[in-house]
Structures are given as C-alpha cells and as structure tokens.
Amino acid sequence: MRISAGYEITFDCPAPTPMLLQLSVHPSRVGDLETSDVMVTDPMVSVSQYHDLFGNFVSRILAPAGRIVLRNRFVIRDSGAHDAPLPEAGQLPVEDLPDDVVLYLLGSRYCETDQLSNLAWTLFGGVAPGSARVQAILDYVHRHITFGYEHARATKTALEAHEEQFGVCRDFAHLAITLCRCMNIPARYCTGYLGDIGVPISPAPMDFSAWFEVYLDGAWRTCDARHNTPRIGRVLMARGRDATDAAISTAFGTAFLAGFMVITDELPERQSASL
C-alpha cells in the first residue's frame, strides 16, 4: 500500500517565537518513505533537527513576527495490514521489566496514576493480568468517553477526561494509558497519521491521531481506545510518556493557530502526490 500524507499549518506570532515541532515521520518508518519528508516554511526560516530522549525527530525554528506557514507532503509505503490483535500475552512483574520500560509505569503531566489508582484496581483488579486486562481497559475507555472535536482542550488530563466523559483521541489515549499504568502495565503515548483507510469515510476534518502501546511479554503492542478495533495505515510520528513528549508544536512565546489541514490518502500504485 502507498499512502500520501502531509499537512499545512499556519501560525500567527506577535513577535519572533522559538518553536519545537514534531511533524516528521518517526525514525522507525524512514525506510518506508518513497519521497522526502521535508518541512517547508513560508517565509523561509532556518530549520535544525535533533533526536529527543524518546528517539523522535524534533525540528527547531525561530518563527518570525507575523504569519508563518508550515507544509509538507510525502508518500510512504505501508504493509496494508490491520493492527495486530493483542495476543494471549501476560504482563511481566515490575521487577523483571527492562530499565527503559519502567519509565512508562510512572505518572506524567496528563496521566495522574496517583488519582486513578483506586478506580483502576476497583474496575480491573479481578481481570486476569496481561492482554485480558488491557482489553478490559480498552473496552471501558471506549464506552466511557464520547468523541467530539468540540470537546478538545490542550490542558485536559486523564482524570478530567474520565470525569467529563467527553474528549478527542488524545483523551482516550491518556485515560487508557493511565489505567494501564495503575495496573502495572507499561504504556506509552503515540501520535501520527491515521486516515480513513478500510473504513467508512468520516465527515469530520482530518487531524493527527493519538493511540498508545502497551508492553506485554517483552514487546510493545499497538492499542487504540478511541476506535477499539484494528485499523490500517498508521504512520507513527512520535512516542513519549504522554502528549507533552509528542506535541506537534511547542511555542516559547505566543503563537496563534490560524490554519490547520492534515491529509492522509491511499494512493494507487503509480500515482504521485502534490500539496
């Protein structure tokens, strides 16, 4: 399968504003690119890039005062396979987890494990550890939260999403991640592209998507509490403890979002893409 993906994002800045941007395809998917994954800025500014502590590509720019447009369009190959279903897998005891995985048991900015631990053990303490417990958490979050873009809020935490029972994909992910961590299941946040491939076309505007991964039997497994069904064509951009570590943009000053468009389409074998 060939997927055409990209974005056009516009910011208005009252003054020159340093920004960090996580808009590149994750290093694990670079080998699948058919065309270059390069961010173009208008007006042209210097763009530098580094790998963060979680292995993501991060771009740095100094956005000038006024309007700046960030755009990209690329083609990437994908297996076309659905997400692998959760195997009948157990969870490792905390003392046997690798050092670099233990981090994903801890609370973080949007995942208040201390405040949701009692709820998690009440709901899932009687479910067999491992994949059965993860699926029970997925089912619960999928039922408990109603999706709607009008419910998006950049500051919303897992606890707030649980109390309000409304949110967007990142809220589904944060709540499921938190409940997993409360049950000693390592879980990490993911963001990227997920188009309407193999499913009915959604009338809602396309956006970047959030999902998560759990660590079972020595491997990371893809989970999606919003859809709660295997999907086709995920293109990972960034991973981290929560949305703080995988933020699309972080501005060190004032930057008003003035325009936002994301594209993800399946391409015929011989067709090229343009933005």
Side-chain angles (χ1 to χ4, degrees):
M1 173 183 292
R2 302 170 71 235
I3 297 173
S4 171
Y7 55 83
E8 183 170 297
I9 304 173
T10 304
F11 291 101
D12 286 332
C13 301
T17 304
M19 299 183 76
L20 301 181
L21 304 161
Q22 295 194 71
L23 292 165
S24 299
V25 168
H26 191 266
S28 63
R29 295 299 305 270
V30 167
D32 297 323
L33 287 167
E34 271 192 18
T35 61
S36 298
D37 174 24
V38 178
M39 181 175 67
V40 177
T41 70
D42 181 14
M44 185 181 298
V45 299
S46 175
V47 180
S48 62
Q49 198 169 63
Y50 68 93
H51 283 90
D52 68 9
L53 297 175
F54 301 94
N56 307 312
F57 284 130
V58 182
S59 298
R60 297 182 65 174
I61 66 169
L62 177 61
R67 175 157 292 193
I68 185 169
V69 181
L70 315 173
R71 59 171 62 94
N72 189 10
R73 192 71 179 264
F74 60 88
V75 177
I76 190 167
R77 286 202 164 270
D78 189 79
S79 68
H82 286 83
D83 300 328
L86 285 176
E88 293 186 6
Q91 63 187 79
L92 294 176
V94 173
E95 62 271 23
D96 293 338
L97 291 170
D99 294 341
D100 61 343
V101 172
V102 175
L103 170 69
Y104 298 103
L105 288 179
L106 305 179
S108 55
R109 165 68 179 85
Y110 293 102
C111 300
E112 312 102 317
T113 52
D114 56 337
Q115 297 186 65
L116 284 167
S117 181
N118 288 341
L119 172 70
W121 281 98
T122 298
L123 292 172
F124 311 112
V127 181
S131 54
R133 185 172 280 172
V134 172
Q135 189 59 59
I137 291 171
L138 285 167
D139 293 342
Y140 176 79
V141 175
H142 182 73
R143 292 191 307 265
H144 189 76
I145 299 181
T146 298
F147 181 87
Y149 286 115
E150 68 274 19
H151 305 301
R153 188 171 73 247
T155 59
K156 189 184 294 188
T157 68
L159 177 63
E160 290 169 336
H162 186 267
E163 292 176 343
E164 296 172 18
Q165 299 184 42
F166 294 98
V168 291
C169 54
R170 64 178 259 161
D171 302 313
F172 285 79
H174 283 148
L175 179 55
I177 287 169
T178 306
L179 295 173
C180 283
R181 290 178 184 171
C182 289
M183 304 306 296
N184 295 332
I185 302 167
R188 63 187 183 186
Y189 183 92
C190 301
T191 190
Y193 297 89
L194 180 61
D196 296 322
I197 299 174
V199 297
I201 302 298
S202 170
M206 181 65 199
D207 196 354
F208 292 114
S209 187
W211 60 93
F212 70 106
E213 296 172 343
V214 296
Y215 192 82
L216 295 175
D217 272 357
W220 289 103
R221 325 280 184 171
T222 298
C223 296
D224 188 333
R226 179 197 167 185
H227 298 105
N228 201 22
T229 188
R231 293 288 297 267
I232 298 171
R234 293 185 196 274
V235 180
L236 180 67
M237 293 164 59
R239 294 188 181 106
R241 293 166 297 181
D242 57 30
T244 301
D245 300 325
I248 300 304
S249 65
T250 302
F252 298 89
T254 302
F256 298 103
L257 183 64
F260 184 84
M261 179 177 65
V262 178
I263 306 101
T264 311
D265 297 307
E266 182 182 0
L267 279 180
E269 277 302 309
R270 296 174 182 269
Q271 183 176 328
S272 61
S274 61
L275 183 60

